[in-house]
Amino acid sequence: MSRKPGPTSHTDTTSLENFLRPIVEQFGCDLEAADITPAGRRRLLRVLVDRDGGISLDDIAEVTRAISKALDADDIMGEGAYTLEVSSPGVDRPLTLPRHWRRNISRLVAVTLTDDTKLTGRIKSASEEAAELDVDGTRQSVAYADVAKAKIQIEFNRTAGNDETETPADGTVEEN
């Protein structure tokens, strides 16, 4: 006896991402991830969105409303209860796509290459194939195909967007 396929599986993240992507793209955002996890009797649907220039809380609220409305109108989540959580990725997200590198230009990044070489440098530019880093004053091109792992380094003493050398805390200034 053959059974007619039922609604999309509650844990089929590929179908869920395909469903959510056009909704998120309406707002000029990229769908970074969608994940469903059990949370007691409910399920938790976590959706990560981002865009060039960053995403505000108001943007997140708009995307959340649109996703919620679309999920209510469709049976992709099935009959069970779920909680929807929409947010942007944190700074600890690995850089895995060219847009991740582009969105972090001027930030410090720790990179492990596929040959186990480790680099730490500031992202100066990013294309679809590679990023250019300033590693200790030397520009170095890093092809994404050669990257095993890359993560932004958190800098507590650096002013956002400031690429200039900072004055030391003791007030001394180095002259050339």
Side-chain angles (χ1 to χ4, degrees):
M1 173 178 189
S2 68
R3 294 189 65 184
K4 186 176 177 182
T8 305
S9 167
H10 301 231
T11 56
D12 181 3
T13 55
T14 301
S15 295
L16 186 58
E17 286 177 356
N18 290 337
F19 176 81
L20 295 172
R21 188 167 287 107
I23 299 163
V24 170
E25 288 174 350
Q26 294 179 86
F27 297 92
C29 299
D30 294 308
L31 176 66
E32 295 295 339
D35 186 44
I36 303 171
T37 55
R41 293 182 182 186
R42 305 174 77 87
R43 292 166 292 149
L44 176 60
L45 170 57
R46 284 193 177 111
V47 179
L48 296 180
V49 297
D50 202 3
R51 74 166 147 215
D52 289 356
I55 191 162
S56 71
L57 288 175
D58 289 338
D59 298 330
I60 294 283
E62 282 186 54
V63 171
T64 301
R65 282 189 292 274
I67 289 173
S68 180
K69 185 176 178 180
L71 290 172
D72 288 347
D74 194 280
D75 67 349
I76 194 160
M77 290 297 292
E79 296 296 319
Y82 65 93
T83 300
L84 173 63
E85 178 183 291
V86 179
S87 64
S88 63
V91 294
D92 60 341
R93 169 200 40 199
L95 305 181
T96 58
L97 298 170
R99 68 177 180 247
H100 300 159
W101 291 82
R102 183 181 67 244
R103 289 175 181 158
N104 283 287
I105 288 175
S106 85
R107 305 282 307 269
L108 193 64
V109 63
V111 180
T112 303
L113 300 175
T114 53
D115 67 2
D116 287 329
T117 302
K118 294 186 186 314
L119 305 169
T120 299
R122 196 161 303 283
I123 303 171
K124 291 300 192 180
S125 64
S127 70
E128 289 300 308
E129 295 81 33
E132 186 155 322
L133 306 181
D134 180 337
V135 180
D136 297 324
T138 304
R139 292 226 178 207
Q140 184 167 345
S141 182
V142 176
Y144 305 134
D146 296 335
V147 174
K149 181 177 159 185
K151 270 194 158 177
I152 293 300
Q153 300 300 288
I154 298 172
E155 298 177 272
F156 293 107
N157 61 347
R158 181 171 174 268
T159 307
N162 184 5
D163 289 330
E164 300 299 317
T165 305
E166 294 183 17
T167 303
D170 66 3
T172 59
V173 177
E174 185 176 317
E175 292 184 12
N176 292 340

